[in-house]
């Protein structure tokens, strides 16, 4: 039995900030003919899945939340994961979108058949006029291709699927990866494990984390005076926007930041050998700038080894590095990130000419118009699509801009009786050429690191190169002149 309708006006995939935001935007625009697919059993997206110990957001919550659903009660500047997950659950409830969500229902394939999207899910099929992918960049864990990993006899889990039933107390634990996730859970592991071996391929830049509790008085002020919370949000947004200048135009700013990070390292780590290992060799900002006050102190403890020799293979009870050393461990925790530049969903969506998104993007990498629509894929909309990710501020700002664009497109299409729209290839190409040119001088492209911002060809297909305000202006209205329009064929009387 399936509770899926045979057809729907808009099919939304995912219930993270993007998918829920879409559902709410559709409701707010007066639409009720939509269904949301969620493969899990609750809403929350990456903030539901990433429940590892220490998980928190490093963008202040008053900005990392919907502008239309302010939360005066954030307890800290940088909210812990459970608070963000609860916020999303509450927001979904309060905006009445839960009845539209089909939980435990995974999108298996979507094919444009000339007339609409023919969709297969894990719980049956349906048709949709419009498909909105809110699947996000950080939803599919990346498991490293380390020989022998499948034969390891102990426990292995990824940070995004943390095994909360597994007690690390007294164990020998290997952690692979030193990104934004790992630096948050490593202190937890260090405190419990008998021994922690941290396999570091690239030393990250780690800055002090200026977190603080938000006092009851501040919370009361925000409750009594919503305008004060808006001003607070605007000031965080402005500060974060100003950071962009360092990432894109003024590398000298990055040098100043590097000095701060180096002092941070020196204060916590006295051993010169360890310090040397932990000192990054690329320009600050090339990879995501990490914030932590307890990562370096944890690594300075006696029960920790930081191993910088590459991993050769894994055996039944050990991780073996390229120098032949066997590091015997009971558990391996993967902090190895996500499949961002080759998203699995791209293999499941087939466009007008019978090619999947993944096939379309194979040669040049991910590309879309405004990061939202893709030539050859009529009535398909992306949230946080190609080149609309951020390295410096809240992704929710981008998502809200894209939601306005989506609703603007749907309103016009409906008003003009248009059956399908897809961006003109020349317009999409021109937009992407401009972005790639703008990205050339940025620290993400030139900072001397490899990161998930770049695809296997070294092309930056993930980040928006300039201010979020610029993006907001560019996508304020969907300009149908940039689109190929398919008129609705008149039904014979
Ligand atoms: P990530 O930034 O992609 O880091 C993955 C780590 O695993 C890197 O250190 C990488 O090394 C290492 N790695 C991957 N494959 C490896 C291999 N085969 N052998 C050895 N090391 C390997 O992933 P993440 O830490 O999960 O973070 C992903 C993104 O999620 C972040 O950039 C951020 O946008 C978001 N996030 C945000 C927060 C927050 O707000 N606080 C927290 C967590 C995540 P290399 O560096 O050498 O590639």
């Amino acid at each position: 039995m399936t509770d899926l309708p045979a057809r729907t006006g808009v099919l939304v995939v995912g219930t993270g900030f993007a998918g829920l935001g879409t559902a709410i935007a559709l409701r707010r625009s007066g639409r009720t003919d939509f269904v949301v697919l969620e493969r899990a059993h609750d809403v929350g997206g990456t903030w539901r899945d990433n429940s590892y110990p220490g998980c928190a957001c490093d963008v202040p919550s008053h900005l990392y939340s919907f502008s239309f659903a302010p939360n005066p009660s954030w307890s800290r500047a940088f909210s812990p994961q459970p608070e963000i997950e609860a916020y999303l659950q509450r927001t979904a409830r309060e905006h009445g979108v839960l009845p539209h969500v089909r939980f435990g229902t995974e999108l298996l394939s979507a094919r444009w058949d000339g007339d609409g999207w023919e969709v297969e899910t894990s719980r049956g099929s349906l048709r949709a006029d419009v498909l909105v992918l809110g699947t996000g960049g950080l939803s599919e864990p990346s498991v490293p291709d380390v020989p022998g990993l499948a034969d390891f006899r102990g426990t292995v889990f990824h940070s995004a699927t943390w095994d909360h039933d597994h007690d690390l107390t007294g164990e020998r634990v290997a952690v692979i990866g030193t990104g934004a996730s790992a630096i948050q859970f490593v202190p937890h592991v260090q405190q419990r494990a008998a021994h922690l071996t941290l396999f570091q391929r690239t030393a990250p830049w780690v800055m002090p984390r200026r977190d603080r509790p938000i006092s009851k008085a501040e919370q009361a002020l925000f409750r009594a005076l919503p305008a004060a919370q808006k001003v607070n949000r605007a000031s965080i947004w402005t500060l974060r926007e100003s950071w962009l200048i360092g990432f894109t135009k003024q590398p000298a700013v990055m040098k100043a930041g590097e000095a701060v990070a180096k002092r941070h390292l020196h204060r916590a780590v006295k051993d010169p050998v360890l310090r040397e290992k932990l000192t990054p060799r690329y320009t600050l900002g090339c990879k995501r700038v990490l914030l932590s006050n307890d990562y370096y102190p944890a690594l300075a403890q006696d029960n920790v080894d930081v191993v910088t020799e590459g991993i050769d293979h894994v055996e039944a009870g050990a991780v073996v590095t390229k120098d032949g050393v066997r590091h015997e461990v009971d558990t391996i925790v993967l902090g190895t990130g996500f499949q961002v530049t080759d998203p699995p969903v791209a293999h499941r969506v087939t466009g007008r000419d019978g090619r999947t998104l993944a096939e379309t993007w194979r040669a040049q990498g991910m590309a879309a118009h405004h990061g939202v629509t893709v030539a050859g894929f009529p009535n398909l909309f992306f949230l946080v699509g190609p080149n609309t990710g951020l390295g410096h501020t809240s992704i929710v700002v981008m998502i809200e801009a894209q939601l306005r664009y989506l609703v603007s497109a749907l309103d016009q299409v409906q008003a003009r009786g248009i059956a399908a729209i897809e961006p003109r290839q020349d317009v999409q190409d021109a937009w992407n050429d401009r972005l790639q040119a703008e990205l050339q001088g940025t620290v993400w492209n030139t900072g001397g690191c490899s990161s998930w911002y770049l695809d296997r060809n070294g092309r930056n297909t993930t980040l928006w190169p300039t201010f979020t305000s610029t993006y907001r202006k560019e996508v304020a209205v969907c300009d149908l002149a940039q689109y190929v329009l398919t008129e609705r064929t008149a039904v014979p009387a």
Side-chain angles (χ1 to χ4, degrees), residues 47 52 56-59 138 144-146 159 176-182 184 199 201-202 287-288 311 335-338 450 452-453:
W47 293 105
Y52 61 78
C57 186
D58 56 15
V59 178
L138 305 174
D145 192 11
V146 177
S159 55
I176 303 179
T178 53
S181 302
Q184 293 187 329
F199 292 90
R201 195 164 65 180
T202 311
K287 284 173 181 287
R288 191 179 176 89
I311 297 172
T336 44
F338 299 87
S450 68
W452 62 259
Y453 300 154

Side-chain angles (χ1 to χ4, degrees), residues 29 31 33 407-419 480 488:
S29 71
R31 292 176 170 83
D33 182 18
V407 171
S408 159
L410 295 181
D411 284 350
Q412 295 180 69
V413 160
Q414 240 168 350
R416 292 176 49 178
I418 293 163
L480 287 192
R488 214 170 271 291

Side-chain angles (χ1 to χ4, degrees), residues 58-284:
D58 56 15
V59 178
S61 303
H62 280 287
L63 184 60
Y64 197 89
S65 47
F66 292 120
S67 61
F68 55 79
N71 172 21
S73 311
W74 292 118
S75 69
R76 305 193 66 83
F78 298 117
S79 289
Q81 171 265 339
E83 230 175 287
I84 303 172
E85 186 185 10
Y87 166 80
L88 287 171
Q89 290 167 338
R90 193 168 62 246
T91 305
R93 230 177 15 251
E94 288 174 359
H95 285 79
V97 296
L98 289 177
H100 292 269
V101 183
R102 301 294 176 270
F103 290 106
T105 310
E106 180 171 356
L107 175 87
L108 299 180
S109 69
R111 174 177 291 273
W112 179 260
D113 67 4
D115 198 27
W117 288 98
E118 186 61 53
V119 177
E120 289 296 328
T121 80
S122 55
R123 293 178 57 246
S125 56
L126 77 164
R127 290 187 63 76
D129 299 335
V130 172
L131 179 63
V132 181
L133 297 178
T135 40
L138 305 174
S139 54
E140 298 289 344
S142 169
V143 174
D145 192 11
V146 177
L149 187 57
D151 303 324
F152 182 66
R153 272 211 225 105
T155 306
V156 183
F157 55 88
H158 189 278
S159 55
T161 51
W162 193 272
D163 185 348
H164 290 279
D165 295 331
H166 185 87
D167 186 3
L168 297 170
T169 308
E171 286 199 339
R172 298 163 302 172
V173 181
V175 170
I176 303 179
T178 53
S181 302
I183 66 142
Q184 293 187 329
F185 67 73
V186 154
H188 167 93
V189 176
Q190 179 273 320
Q191 281 166 23
R192 280 151 192 85
H195 193 267
L196 163 63
T197 311
L198 177 64
F199 292 90
Q200 171 189 278
R201 195 164 65 180
T202 311
W205 286 104
V206 183
M207 302 284 273
R209 188 165 188 267
R210 311 222 182 272
D211 191 16
R212 66 174 185 90
I214 298 178
S215 68
K216 291 284 172 212
E218 277 173 281
Q219 293 179 26
L221 172 71
F222 292 146
R223 262 190 291 278
L225 203 62
Q229 192 174 354
K230 278 195 186 143
V231 170
N232 185 38
R233 181 180 173 100
S235 63
I236 300 167
W237 175 76
T238 309
L239 175 69
R240 289 277 173 148
E241 285 287 86
S242 71
W243 289 10
L244 188 90
I245 295 163
F247 285 91
T248 57
K249 301 203 165 59
Q250 289 292 331
V253 177
M254 290 315 195
K255 285 280 161 243
E258 287 179 10
V260 173
K262 278 185 181 159
R263 271 201 304 280
H264 193 46
L265 168 63
H266 279 228
R267 261 199 295 271
V269 177
K270 302 298 170 203
D271 171 5
V273 178
L274 179 58
R275 230 186 235 176
E276 186 59 19
K277 282 184 185 174
L278 296 175
T279 303
R281 309 273 171 236
Y282 60 85
T283 308
L284 174 77

